[in-house]
Amino acid sequence: MRTVLDPWGCDALRSGAMDNVAILIGVDGGGTGCRARVRAPDGRLLGEGRGGPANVRLGHGLAWANILSAIDATGIDRAALPDAAIVLGLAGIVDDAGANAMLAAGPGFGRARIVSDGHIACVGAFGGGDGGVLIVGTGSAAQVVTGGHARALFGWGFEIDDRGSGAALGRMAVRAALDAIDGIGPDTPFITAIRARIGDGAGAIVTWLGTARPADYGALAPLAFAHRDDPVAATLIARTARQVDAMIAHMVAVGAPRVALVGGMAAAILPWLDATSHDRLDSPAQDATEGALLLAQEIAGS
């Protein structure tokens, strides 16, 4: 695999004193949940597990608790962690300072590296070769690799971006529910379902807004697809699809020969994309967690 540095510059790496690496751990941490996969140095699968959200913007303590919960679910004893080489691809990592701070807050692995979730997704999809990966899950982010150089795109956070994502779709759904209450938008079965989930009335919805996180908005996206024949839901899904189309087009414009669409909402939004986007898409060779493991193999040999 050709080594490609994370475009954020967040290649935080910590190497402890150890004679050999006993296990490799790859972690893919997003805004809704994280996945951990453990392999032996010879490639044998030793276990897989899932945990809660691991976006670093939720706080180092919560993110690490959920990461370790996912690792525990693989069946690996924590006593083995000092002999492990681990690579974590985490949502919310945007610079080397953030990556190093997150790494410093974690437990004592033998060798550890933290990069962005987009980076491990691209490594998994194209083995470090040229291509682009667009993540559409709770949030959205993209990475384009050309000639060994990586460029990060989109994914600037729920407050201002995350276009084409489940959280952005959920946010539009909440706005549509409030429009219906105000009488400036239709009150359809989809709106009824949204109100049943978050509160039946403006006061209840505003109360929900006060504590809702991106994952809570993202949890509303499946309601839209379940009501895809509803005129409001169909309009919001189509608007989301046009955002994804635009992101794919831009990724190709900046050099991606092909694009892999990944993330929790990828399969649901795929039928809504235009023909040009479909022509530009490739299935990823491997998933993001496997991309993290490929990088873990690299640091195990360092």
Side-chain angles (χ1 to χ4, degrees):
M1 185 190 77
R2 179 177 60 194
T3 298
V4 179
L5 294 179
D6 192 309
W8 293 115
C10 51
D11 238 346
L13 174 63
R14 183 176 64 201
S15 295
M18 56 191 303
D19 294 329
N20 64 303
V21 171
I23 56 174
L24 306 173
I25 305 174
V27 175
D28 176 19
T32 298
C34 65
R35 294 180 297 167
R37 188 174 298 150
V38 181
R39 292 191 182 276
D42 63 7
R44 287 179 295 113
L45 179 65
L46 300 180
E48 297 187 82
R50 291 180 178 269
N55 187 318
V56 297
R57 297 183 67 190
L58 298 175
H60 294 165
L62 178 59
W64 271 117
N66 289 330
I67 289 165
L68 291 172
S69 177
I71 293 173
D72 289 342
T74 69
I76 297 299
D77 193 291
R78 291 195 188 184
L81 297 186
D83 297 318
I86 184 171
V87 169
L88 306 101
L90 305 179
I93 291 290
V94 297
D95 57 26
D96 55 355
N100 279 298
M102 179 63 180
L103 192 56
F109 299 98
R111 292 176 183 148
R113 180 181 177 190
I114 293 181
V115 297
S116 65
D117 56 342
H119 189 60
I120 61 167
C122 204
V123 170
F126 298 102
D130 288 356
V133 165
L134 175 58
I135 302 172
V136 285
T138 299
S140 62
Q143 183 172 117
V144 172
V145 174
T146 54
H149 299 284
R151 177 178 179 180
L153 298 166
F154 318 119
W156 306 119
F158 175 72
E159 295 84 354
I160 196 167
D161 192 9
D162 276 351
R163 70 197 77 180
S165 71
L169 176 54
R171 180 169 52 197
M172 290 190 291
V174 175
R175 186 180 300 118
L178 288 169
D179 285 347
I181 290 171
D182 287 338
I184 61 173
D187 196 352
T188 68
F190 169 59
I191 296 300
T192 299
I194 292 293
R195 290 165 63 178
R197 178 72 65 87
I198 66 174
D200 192 11
I205 292 175
V206 170
T207 299
W208 181 87
L209 292 173
T211 59
R213 290 181 166 179
D216 299 312
Y217 287 91
L220 302 177
L223 287 177
F225 291 101
H227 291 81
R228 63 181 63 86
D229 295 328
D230 181 285
V232 175
T235 296
L236 300 185
I237 295 171
R239 188 178 303 165
T240 301
R242 299 295 75 78
Q243 293 171 345
V244 175
D245 287 331
M247 288 190 284
I248 292 171
H250 184 64
M251 293 170 70
V252 171
V254 300
R258 304 290 289 173
V259 175
L261 185 68
V262 301
M265 205 172 71
I269 202 67
L270 185 62
W272 295 77
L273 303 183
D274 64 26
T276 301
S277 290
H278 280 273
D279 290 341
R280 291 166 165 166
L281 293 177
D282 263 347
S283 297
Q286 299 181 94
D287 65 14
T289 312
E290 206 61 35
L293 281 165
L294 287 172
L295 296 176
Q297 286 178 326
E298 284 192 351
I299 66 170
S302 61

